[in-house]
Amino acid sequence: MIAHVGRIGQLGAAMLTVMFFAAALLAQTAPPAAPSDPIEADWRAIPDDELLVVTLGNGRQVVIRLAAALAPQHVGNIRALARARWWDDASVYRVQENWVAQWGDATEKKPLPAGITDRPAAEFEVPTFRPAVSMSRADSYSTASGITADGWPVATNGAQAWLTHCYGMVGVARDALPSTGSGAELFTPIGQSARRLDRNYTVVGRIVDGMQYLSALPRSDAAMGMYASVGERTPITAVRLASDIPAATRPHFQYRAADNPRFAAAVAGREHPKPPMVGLSGAAVCDVLPAVRRAP
């Protein structure tokens, strides 16, 4: 019995030795950090009251980061609508191929809560064009574009500045002017960006989690992608600000800040890809949106 125990001990020691050398070899062969890799300090917390959690009828959730500083009146309406639980019986009622998914009250008859109007002051533009990282080339929709320090895609024509309608950004649907939209009806571009909507519709945020649950919905063949029947719509059971969700269960997210040389290197890498990728020394601002992650 003693000899048997001894053999087991020798085997265990041998296994530990193998594991030690394997770990050492792995450490030696692990690639070094690239200049474009973020460090921990590059991740910044998104405030809880800037996270809008949309729970669909199947239990899946879509999380929107609100651009509170860039569209304050419309975001104020959205916060009030969430706190009034206005969307709790709403639906995703429009999914148009290669264009947008849209949600809210499909009947357009549900009254808005007191104090909310569909004609707040226009917020199609933002106060200044001040990106932390600029794209090296102009695009078809602006003379310059880039990413702000806090992660928003912006563009300019030299006189005005605005948030861009990239894939996953959230815009405010509206009737014809002078309506600017209350924020009760929202949409997100799916399949591609929708830059031709820039400066014509207010951008209020970006979907940072669960975009696949909207982009994968069945497309409607009806006019403008509106579902022809109630049964085709995707129900929405709840919309809440994360700050109004119990602390133990609320989600927390972080965005990758752009005001550092690592993010600049990441953008440069996208603009000048290494072979066999082919580039033209430029990229679109919608191609370099900063990563967002759940807080570790």
Side-chain angles (χ1 to χ4, degrees):
M1 179 63 71
I2 294 175
H4 180 64
V5 172
R7 286 195 296 273
I8 293 176
Q10 291 172 359
L11 288 171
M15 289 179 65
L16 287 173
T17 301
V18 171
M19 291 172 63
F20 172 80
F21 281 108
L25 180 62
L26 182 62
Q28 292 174 2
T29 58
S36 58
D37 289 346
I39 62 174
E40 195 59 30
D42 294 341
W43 295 101
R44 314 277 173 81
I46 300 175
D48 290 349
D49 67 350
E50 292 183 8
L51 290 171
L52 191 69
V53 182
V54 181
T55 303
L56 304 177
N58 56 16
R60 292 171 172 168
Q61 291 187 328
V62 176
V63 182
I64 300 167
R65 179 191 179 191
L66 297 173
L70 299 177
Q73 294 186 69
H74 285 83
V75 169
N77 274 2
I78 288 169
R79 285 169 166 158
L81 287 161
R83 287 174 173 145
R85 304 192 174 187
W86 189 86
W87 283 293
D88 284 13
D89 57 354
S91 66
V92 182
Y93 58 82
R94 177 190 182 193
V95 183
Q96 187 170 1
E97 170 60 20
N98 208 27
W99 191 230
V100 299
Q102 186 167 317
W103 61 95
D105 171 34
T107 71
E108 297 185 346
K109 296 179 180 179
K110 185 176 181 178
L112 296 172
I116 292 180
T117 173
D118 72 341
R119 296 186 182 184
E123 293 181 302
F124 303 150
E125 299 166 357
V126 298
T128 59
F129 178 69
R130 193 175 296 169
V133 176
S134 295
M135 309 308 294
S136 62
R137 297 175 66 174
D139 57 45
S140 301
Y141 300 95
S142 61
T143 58
S145 59
I147 304 294
T148 65
D150 53 351
W152 295 107
V154 290
T156 185
N157 59 8
Q160 292 87 22
W162 59 88
L163 284 166
T164 57
H165 283 79
C166 300
Y167 173 86
M169 297 294 282
V170 176
V172 176
R174 63 173 177 80
D175 293 327
L177 291 172
S179 171
T180 60
S182 65
E185 310 299 318
L186 300 172
F187 67 88
T188 186
I190 60 174
Q192 63 171 354
S193 64
R195 293 289 307 279
R196 67 182 176 87
L197 300 181
D198 288 1
R199 298 182 64 209
N200 195 8
Y201 290 79
T202 300
V203 177
V204 291
R206 175 190 173 192
I207 294 175
V208 297
D209 193 57
M211 180 64 187
Q212 67 271 29
Y213 303 135
L214 296 178
S215 62
L217 289 174
R219 275 51 170 166
S220 171
D221 293 328
M224 299 183 67
M226 301 288 186
Y227 287 128
S229 66
V230 174
E232 295 176 275
R233 301 170 189 161
T234 298
I236 293 174
T237 59
V239 177
R240 301 285 185 273
L241 291 165
S243 54
D244 292 334
I245 295 173
T249 57
R250 74 178 58 161
H252 300 280
F253 285 84
Q254 299 171 328
Y255 67 89
R256 181 181 177 179
D259 56 349
N260 57 79
R262 292 164 294 281
F263 186 77
V267 171
R270 184 62 63 89
E271 293 189 315
H272 306 280
K274 295 180 180 179
M277 300 292 290
V278 178
L280 295 174
S281 299
V285 68
C286 290
D287 292 335
V288 298
L289 298 187
V292 177
R293 70 179 188 181
R294 284 186 179 268

